[in-house]
Amino acid sequence: MGFRTSLATAALMALGVAAINVSPAVADSAYQAFGTRGRAQDVKRTIDVVMRDNSYQPQRIQVRAGETVRFRVRNAGELLHEFNIGTAAMHQQHQREMQAMFDSGMMSATSKDAMAGMDHSKMPGMNHGAMNHGAMRHDDPNAVLVDPGKTEEMIFKFTKAATLEFACNIPGHYESGMVGKVDFAR
Amino acid sequence: MHDRTLSRRQALGLGVAALAFPAASGALAQPAVGRAMPREFNLTLSHVTANITGRRRPAMAINGQIPGPVLRFREGEEVVINVTNRLREHTSIHWHGLILPSSQDGVPGISDGFQGIDAGGTHQYRFPLVQAGTYWYHSHSGVQEQSGIYGSIVIDPATPEPFGYDRDYIVQLSDWTDETPSHVIANLKRDPGYYNYNKRTLASLVGELRRAPDAAARSAIVSDRIMWGDMRMDPTDIEDVGGYTYLVNGYTPAQNFTGVFRPGETVRLRFINSGAMTHFDVRIPGLQMTVVQAHGNNVRPVTVDEFRIAPAETFDVLVRPRDGRQYQMLAESMGRQGFAQFSLATQEGLPALPLPPHRPRPVLTMADMGMNYGPSGLDRGTPMPEVDAPGHVAPMDMGGMGGMDHSSMQMPAGGSQGMQGGSMGDMNHGGMAGMDHSSMPGMNHGAMGGMAGMDHGNMPGMNNGAAGAGAMAGMDHGAMGHGGMAMPDPLVNDVGAPPGARVLSYRDLRAAKPLYPVREPTRVIEIRLTGNMERYFWSINGNSFSQAQPIQLHLGERVRFRFVNETMMAHPMHIHGMWMIPQVGNGAENPLLHTVNIKPGSTLDIDMEVDAPGGWAFHCHMLYHMETGMMRKISVVNSPRTASAG
């Protein structure tokens, strides 16, 4: 029974990886509906965000359509966290991808660089050549991964008002409270 | 915010209590607020008449209610709890999962200096709260817990928890019987299958045979029956007690306890299994559950669709209903005899959603029975065994089954007819040891790939022994599916979930803040879970509580208990006063649990940092298993070795 389950997990893993290969095209571009990579010279305002295990401070931010914001995100927790701006549906999709990566051991709970220490030879059937490490790459302009104790910056231009959340999509973190609201001022 | 929700629930519990037992005054434990003084709580135990199923039945209550009041403590404070016994019998209260001095643990005859609370007496407990989370309390005398002596404990943390939520509900699951618990035991002792309403009968055998497509299939059916019969066990025997009504916070499914939420809110559900004899398979169709605490301890949040909760376990989960529909929490008994249920809804007073049909009742297969010989060689035990009564299995000096102590198995020699009774112990060591392979013409060893751990060369005891080798001769081993037989995974719960659903396993639990660094255990003690279903008593290493001496552990050591479940039942094993750390492969992050469910036929290692001196109870939390002998005293002593020389 256990063997069957681990096989099923392996199959899921494979599916997950396959999905990552395909889906980034969708996930990566979805932010374009409301924003784009910001330019440093357009920044008028910096918003400081503190991440803990597992919460954000503040829990709500306010922006204007057309505004370019620098987010300075500090991870005061002991776990790896993400600051990702998107719709609830985007977050849900991203959570599935993250889950697949954690299941496969491609990511660790404490560092985004866990990949480096990974023994790829131990993962038969994984075609790394074909993997662009979609969601892991995290050079999307709407998201940043922050190691424990580190601070990262992200410059994002909100082009259009939308119903958005900022969230951490590492397995279990969103559900534990790492989600906040983005309000658009009129 | 969550404070209010919880106290509202308390008030609701009181409402039901008032309904069941008129005029219960002072139903809540009233903390007397004082400065610099420990907060004081009062619990009064009494006989009541409860009406849970429509019949008025005798029951026992705490402060007039079932379950008893919620004890809400704060991490770091000291509390005083006065327990007054207005029962006509001896009683006790044990604080399940709390780390406290042995003298305050509340097990008569085992906890240091505690002999229980006499009828009419009041006992004062006093202890500091050194932990936070969800726990519970219950009587540790006889089977009073089954009659209603249980309640919940919530300890608010001194530092913020690594998760947030808007509402907070206790979900205390339990199993109620209209029978008096002593009758339950009497029935089980008279006929262990008394409550097995799904027992396979001769008629069902005839039916199965009629439906069989060909002679080979018929032969397979017959040999399956013969094999089960030979083991004196019944594959439909998943739960040993039936006739239960399953409750949530004292509410029947029809009474529909309701947790109110607003769409988008995060709701914390504190699941506590206070069932005397019931494992529950829990799901909330339409919602995923994020497990944030296990047995009161923070874990890395893990999101699942379903989980199994064994008696005495607690899991705290977060759910986040996005819309305003009515959700139904289903807790289906593992033996598929019934549901506990409650609603999550945007308003109170809605009728319960209809219960779904039961999932298929699990029927144990030979593979589930595990053919579990346990580990072999020196892995099997310890060169420095526990101080134990005769019957303890010393470590094997050779591989295979050679060193097994068959004499301790107490197996009934007479073949009980049909599917009745017996135990795994009988199967492994009785039936199998007596197997003469040469007389099994139909047996194809080549096809038995799954039994890799079985070294036929090393089974010196295999000749035509006592137990029914004749019946085995007709066995078609090919039909037994040895090919797929493997040791059952001790950590996977087969709840019958749809494909793709995530079901919680101990493997998914990672301690958020490990309490102890990893180190090698100082010794390994083998704990075989044994029993005689035929006479309905249960035991550890072949000895029931009354026959055994305490297991001595030494302060400061890290001991490993190697559980080998030789029975066909799951046994949620609980150790008082110290955390159990199941070795599930997460290293330093292996979870800290107070109760570890050991599946039928499986083997699991549990480490313990022995850091609490005194006497502690160690037992199966299936109430009738404990009551009939599956229990030990653990004595944690200072002196090294000298005490264990005997």
Side-chain angles (χ1 to χ4, degrees):
Chain A
M1 175 201 330
F3 288 84
R4 233 184 296 135
T5 308
S6 47
L7 274 181
T9 313
L12 259 178
M13 257 165 61
L15 276 176
V17 171
I20 290 159
N21 286 339
V22 178
S23 58
V26 184
D28 283 356
S29 58
Y31 66 87
Q32 289 168 6
F34 54 83
T36 182
R37 188 181 302 278
R39 298 183 306 173
Q41 62 266 37
D42 297 334
V43 171
K44 296 267 177 359
R45 193 157 66 101
T46 295
I47 297 180
D48 282 299
V49 177
V50 178
M51 310 197 289
R52 294 198 166 79
D53 305 330
N54 295 302
S55 63
Y56 289 110
Q57 191 57 243
Q59 297 176 309
R60 188 180 276 262
I61 58 174
Q62 200 175 57
V63 299
R64 284 172 194 284
E67 185 181 17
T68 298
V69 178
R70 171 185 281 119
F71 292 98
R72 195 158 51 205
V73 187
R74 182 165 67 91
N75 184 352
E78 291 172 15
L79 302 174
L80 176 66
H81 291 300
E82 184 195 33
F83 180 80
N84 186 322
I85 295 171
T87 62
M90 286 167 65
H91 290 315
Q92 233 172 355
Q93 162 78 15
H94 194 37
Q95 279 157 31
R96 278 194 288 269
E97 295 165 358
M98 284 272 203
Q99 182 72 60
M101 303 215 263
F102 272 82
D103 284 351
S104 68
M106 287 167 64
M107 281 185 87
S108 98
T110 48
S111 170
K112 60 182 172 180
D113 294 326
M115 272 292 295
M118 209 165 79
D119 182 354
H120 288 70
S121 66
K122 281 191 186 144
M123 300 189 178
M126 253 184 173
N127 180 354
H128 281 76
M131 276 170 47
N132 63 9
H133 294 133
M136 294 232 12
R137 205 176 44 218
H138 265 92
D139 54 3
D140 302 334
N142 62 322
V144 61
L145 272 174
V146 189
D147 275 337
K150 295 280 178 357
T151 300
E152 304 274 353
E153 290 191 352
M154 173 181 115
I155 299 174
F156 191 72
K157 180 178 185 184
F158 294 88
T159 52
K160 217 166 113 196
T163 305
L164 300 179
E165 298 171 339
F166 54 95
C168 174
N169 293 308
I170 288 169
H173 292 198
Y174 181 98
E175 300 91 325
S176 299
M178 286 200 82
V179 54
K181 284 221 156 52
V182 180
D183 293 328
F184 279 85
R186 329 193 117 259
Chain B
M1 166 134 212
H2 56 268
D3 279 1
R4 205 186 57 212
T5 316
L6 197 65
S7 54
R8 194 191 56 76
R9 194 215 69 88
Q10 244 175 333
L12 269 177
L14 177 57
V16 157
L19 210 135
F21 334 106
S25 66
L28 292 179
Q30 292 297 339
V33 183
R35 306 239 163 237
M37 294 284 286
R39 285 199 302 153
E40 205 164 322
F41 297 78
N42 297 303
L43 301 177
T44 301
L45 281 51
S46 63
H47 296 283
V48 294
T49 301
N51 183 348
I52 291 186
T53 63
R55 299 167 65 199
R56 290 168 58 81
R57 302 298 302 162
M60 296 177 184
I62 306 170
N63 294 6
Q65 56 179 106
I66 300 175
V70 179
L71 293 177
R72 185 130 201 179
F73 300 146
R74 292 191 289 261
E75 183 181 10
E77 74 174 333
E78 187 173 30
V79 292
V80 163
I81 307 163
N82 303 303
V83 177
T84 298
N85 181 9
R86 295 216 182 111
L87 301 171
R88 288 181 295 273
E89 57 190 78
H90 209 66
T91 194
S92 58
I93 294 289
H94 162 60
W95 321 99
H96 187 110
L98 297 201
I99 299 300
L100 38 64
S102 167
S103 60
Q104 305 303 308
D105 195 48
V107 184
I110 290 184
S111 303
D112 292 355
F114 181 69
Q115 296 303 326
I117 311 168
D118 288 331
T122 295
H123 180 82
Q124 187 169 80
Y125 294 84
R126 181 178 181 140
F127 50 85
L129 281 315
V130 300
Q131 65 203 118
T134 305
Y135 304 90
W136 64 299
Y137 62 96
H138 58 84
S139 164
H140 222 291
S141 298
V143 286
Q144 292 170 356
E145 178 195 320
Q146 174 84 88
S147 298
I149 305 296
Y150 61 91
S152 54
I153 297 174
V154 172
I155 310 173
D156 291 321
T159 53
E161 289 167 315
F163 49 87
Y165 51 92
D166 304 298
R167 299 194 187 241
D168 185 349
Y169 293 103
I170 291 169
V171 183
Q172 192 163 24
L173 304 168
S174 63
D175 44 18
W176 166 263
T177 173
D178 274 350
E179 285 187 77
T180 54
S182 52
H183 284 166
V184 173
I185 288 196
N187 288 336
L188 287 168
K189 281 198 177 290
R190 197 162 55 237
D191 174 4
Y194 187 89
Y195 295 99
N196 187 351
Y197 305 129
N198 293 278
K199 186 147 62 182
R200 300 197 291 192
T201 59
L202 181 62
S204 80
L205 173 60
V206 171
E208 273 184 56
L209 288 174
R210 194 174 294 138
R211 284 190 297 275
D214 52 34
R218 276 192 293 278
S219 144
I221 290 168
V222 172
S223 28
D224 178 67
R225 289 290 180 105
I226 289 172
M227 181 132 178
W228 282 105
D230 192 52
M231 291 176 212
R232 291 173 292 283
M233 287 188 299
D234 186 334
T236 65
D237 222 343
I238 308 299
E239 283 168 352
D240 32 13
V241 180
Y244 276 135
T245 300
Y246 301 104
L247 308 178
V248 172
N249 300 333
Y251 290 61
T252 64
Q255 286 170 338
N256 194 31
F257 175 81
T258 299
V260 172
F261 69 92
R262 283 200 301 267
E265 283 183 333
T266 297
V267 182
R268 176 182 194 167
L269 302 174
R270 301 172 183 264
F271 283 92
I272 304 169
N273 187 353
S274 298
M277 288 294 282
T278 307
H279 290 68
F280 290 100
D281 290 340
V282 176
R283 62 190 195 266
I284 309 177
L287 291 180
Q288 289 195 308
M289 300 177 279
T290 301
V291 180
V292 291
Q293 286 186 350
H295 300 208
N297 291 309
N298 290 329
V299 294
R300 298 275 180 79
V302 54
T303 300
V304 298
D305 297 294
E306 309 195 9
F307 63 87
R308 171 167 292 168
I309 185 168
E313 290 193 292
T314 75
F315 292 111
D316 286 40
V317 310
L318 303 179
V319 296
R320 194 180 151 91
R322 290 173 185 275
D323 56 19
R325 55 181 262 232
Q326 181 179 359
Y327 291 92
Q328 182 179 43
M329 188 289 305
L330 291 165
E332 186 172 10
S333 88
M334 183 170 70
R336 307 299 178 235
Q337 301 194 55
F339 289 97
Q341 78 92 41
F342 75 90
S343 289
L344 284 170
T346 52
Q347 54 174 305
E348 291 187 39
L350 297 173
L353 295 170
L355 292 170
H358 279 295
R359 283 181 175 169
R361 194 163 189 279
V363 172
L364 295 176
T365 63
M366 287 298 164
D368 288 317
M369 305 312 298
M371 293 300 187
N372 183 10
Y373 305 106
S376 61
L378 285 174
D379 281 348
R380 197 173 158 77
T382 163
M384 297 168 287
E386 52 160 317
V387 174
D388 207 340
H392 171 73
V393 173
M396 293 166 76
D397 46 4
M398 52 192 291
M401 299 173 63
M404 244 174 197
D405 184 355
H406 290 90
S407 65
S408 71
M409 301 308 300
Q410 293 162 337
M411 79 185 194
S416 60
Q417 41 143 326
M419 311 293 174
Q420 272 317 317
S423 76
M424 276 298 291
D426 296 341
M427 178 184 86
N428 287 346
H429 316 297
M432 295 300 287
M435 239 161 91
D436 179 355
H437 285 70
S438 66
S439 75
M440 297 184 185
M443 195 157 152
N444 176 359
H445 279 77
M448 292 170 57
M451 300 179 68
M454 202 165 143
D455 181 354
H456 287 74
N458 269 339
M459 296 183 175
M462 279 175 68
N463 49 30
N464 258 314
M472 305 281 283
M475 223 162 74
D476 178 353
H477 278 72
M480 280 170 54
H482 280 81
M485 193 184 283
M487 287 283 281
D489 187 317
L491 302 170
V492 169
N493 292 314
D494 183 11
V495 300
R502 281 181 94 92
V503 180
L504 185 72
S505 151
Y506 287 150
R507 233 176 239 128
D508 296 323
L509 300 176
R510 290 176 171 275
K513 287 267 195 299
L515 275 182
Y516 307 100
V518 181
R519 57 170 175 149
E520 282 302 302
T522 43
R523 54 184 174 144
V524 180
I525 294 178
E526 186 177 80
I527 305 289
R528 290 185 299 117
L529 305 176
T530 47
N532 186 323
M533 191 75 177
E534 172 95 337
R535 287 147 67 190
Y536 207 81
F537 64 71
W538 298 90
S539 51
I540 290 172
N541 290 340
N543 289 305
S544 70
F545 180 62
S546 57
Q547 299 165 313
Q549 292 165 29
I551 296 172
Q552 260 189 21
L553 303 180
H554 303 112
L555 203 57
E557 74 172 328
R558 182 184 180 107
V559 73
R560 173 166 296 173
F561 277 11
R562 176 157 295 157
F563 286 96
V564 181
N565 186 348
E566 296 180 347
T567 79
M568 58 185 296
M569 293 267 165
H571 298 292
M573 300 304 295
H574 171 44
I575 297 178
H576 292 217
M578 290 166 283
W579 293 111
M580 305 169 82
I581 311 171
Q583 301 299 294
V584 300
N586 296 334
E589 293 174 353
N590 281 332
L592 300 155
L593 307 179
H594 48 60
T595 307
V596 176
N597 192 42
I598 311 291
K599 288 174 55 182
S602 70
T603 296
L604 188 62
D605 283 355
I606 276 106
D607 283 12
M608 228 191 335
E609 287 286 346
V610 181
D611 57 4
W616 302 103
F618 163 44
H619 60 92
C620 176
H621 224 285
M622 300 283 272
L623 187 60
Y624 300 100
H625 294 186
M626 174 179 77
E627 190 58 19
T628 57
M630 196 175 260
M631 176 158 172
R632 284 296 168 87
K633 176 178 180 176
I634 289 178
S635 292
V636 176
V637 297
N638 264 317
S639 55
R641 291 297 158 260
T642 50
S644 66

